[in-house]
Amino acid sequence: RDYPRLPEITQGGQGWHGGHALVAVAPSWHSVADVNEGRVPGLRKSSKPLPPSVTGPVRVITYDGLDTNTCCGTHVHSTARLQAVKLLRVERAKGACRVLYVAGGRVVSLLGSTFERSALLASKMSVPQEELLERYDENARKAVEHERAAKSLAAEVVTLLGQALRCRLDNGERALHVHRPAADADFVKALAASLDEALAEAQGLLLVTAGPGAGEGTFTLAGPPDLVDAASGGVAAALEGRGGGRGG
């Protein structure tokens, strides 16, 4: 059955746009047999008849020209009580779909909160509200470019720092320490990996600390596994930390 399209907004609750006047509810009562067999005017015959536990009479709710259905809950006395209906989205499920909507005063509340969030975002992003999506796409693209550039620069720093540390090993140092305030796990791992062979050959250790200052942060001890196992406890105690992971 084709139903008339419900308008989405009204003006002051005085009438429906789209040619629909305000419609009052018209309840009626019918037998279970009439409902199951589709003999109620305007009511579709359901593929699932009412269960035997329903003995009738069955209350049927009609909004003339809009809808006729069996009563399954509370109904507004008149469509004027709805004020406005806004369909939000449709979620498809197996064999059915779920329609999400707001009506009445919730439409106004949703509009107000949505506008406030949009205005706040537009202010923070320094664009009109109409250009929020374009600015978001631009920022997302720049974020990807900046992350790619940061990874490239970090790789260059690892290479240069590794060369300097190998020179110190060549000069006879066997215990190396590097502190990087903003180093992440990937940076530390890459630096340690770049010195694996040099540390093994020189039988040296590399301690990398990361963090904003004394008393907080992380440390990584790299080198031949036997040396790491022997030194890790003392290093952890000196730094008032605790060890973790595998030696080497």
Side-chain angles (χ1 to χ4, degrees):
R1 174 183 173 184
D2 294 330
Y3 290 93
R5 180 180 180 275
L6 282 175
E8 293 189 348
I9 59 172
T10 63
Q11 290 184 335
Q14 298 301 313
W16 291 96
H17 280 252
H20 293 292
L22 300 181
V23 180
V25 64
S28 58
W29 287 262
H30 303 269
S31 68
V32 173
D34 285 346
V35 172
N36 284 341
E37 297 301 323
R39 293 194 291 264
V40 179
L43 183 66
R44 292 177 297 170
K45 180 179 178 180
S46 175
S47 59
K48 295 181 179 180
L50 296 173
S53 59
V54 179
T55 59
V58 178
R59 188 170 185 249
V60 174
I61 300 298
T62 297
Y63 292 95
D64 188 33
L66 294 177
D67 187 33
T68 298
N69 255 307
T70 52
C71 178
C72 58
T74 304
H75 299 272
V76 293
H77 178 71
S78 167
T79 54
R81 299 287 296 277
L82 297 178
Q83 300 178 20
V85 177
K86 174 61 181 175
L87 301 180
L88 300 177
R89 67 179 183 274
V90 176
E91 296 179 352
R92 300 193 179 278
K94 185 177 180 181
C97 66
R98 184 180 295 108
V99 178
L100 283 81
Y101 70 95
V102 287
R106 294 180 180 178
V107 176
V108 178
S109 297
L110 179 63
L111 175 61
S113 61
T114 301
F115 180 84
E116 288 177 2
R117 285 193 298 270
S118 178
L120 181 60
L121 285 173
S123 175
K124 290 182 176 295
M125 300 175 75
S126 301
V127 295
Q129 294 187 44
E130 295 78 12
E131 298 178 12
L132 277 173
L133 288 178
E134 289 82 356
R135 178 55 61 89
Y136 170 83
D137 290 338
E138 179 184 354
N139 288 348
R141 176 181 56 79
K142 289 181 178 179
V144 172
E145 294 175 353
H146 292 164
E147 182 178 2
R148 188 181 298 117
K151 288 183 177 180
S152 178
L153 291 173
E156 292 182 15
V157 172
V158 166
T159 299
L160 295 174
L161 189 55
Q163 292 174 353
L165 292 172
R166 276 191 291 273
C167 288
R168 291 170 59 182
L169 288 171
D170 292 340
N171 291 332
E173 290 190 52
R174 294 296 177 262
L176 307 176
H177 173 232
V178 175
H179 178 71
R180 305 290 296 186
D184 58 14
D186 290 336
F187 181 92
V188 174
K189 183 178 179 180
L191 180 60
S194 71
L195 291 171
D196 274 346
E197 293 183 5
L199 290 171
E201 182 179 346
Q203 288 296 289
L205 289 171
L206 170 66
L207 174 64
V208 183
T209 55
E216 56 180 308
T218 62
F219 71 89
T220 299
L221 188 63
D226 57 334
L227 295 182
V228 170
D229 290 341
S232 58
V235 172
L239 295 176
E240 298 181 349
R242 60 184 180 84
R246 295 183 177 180

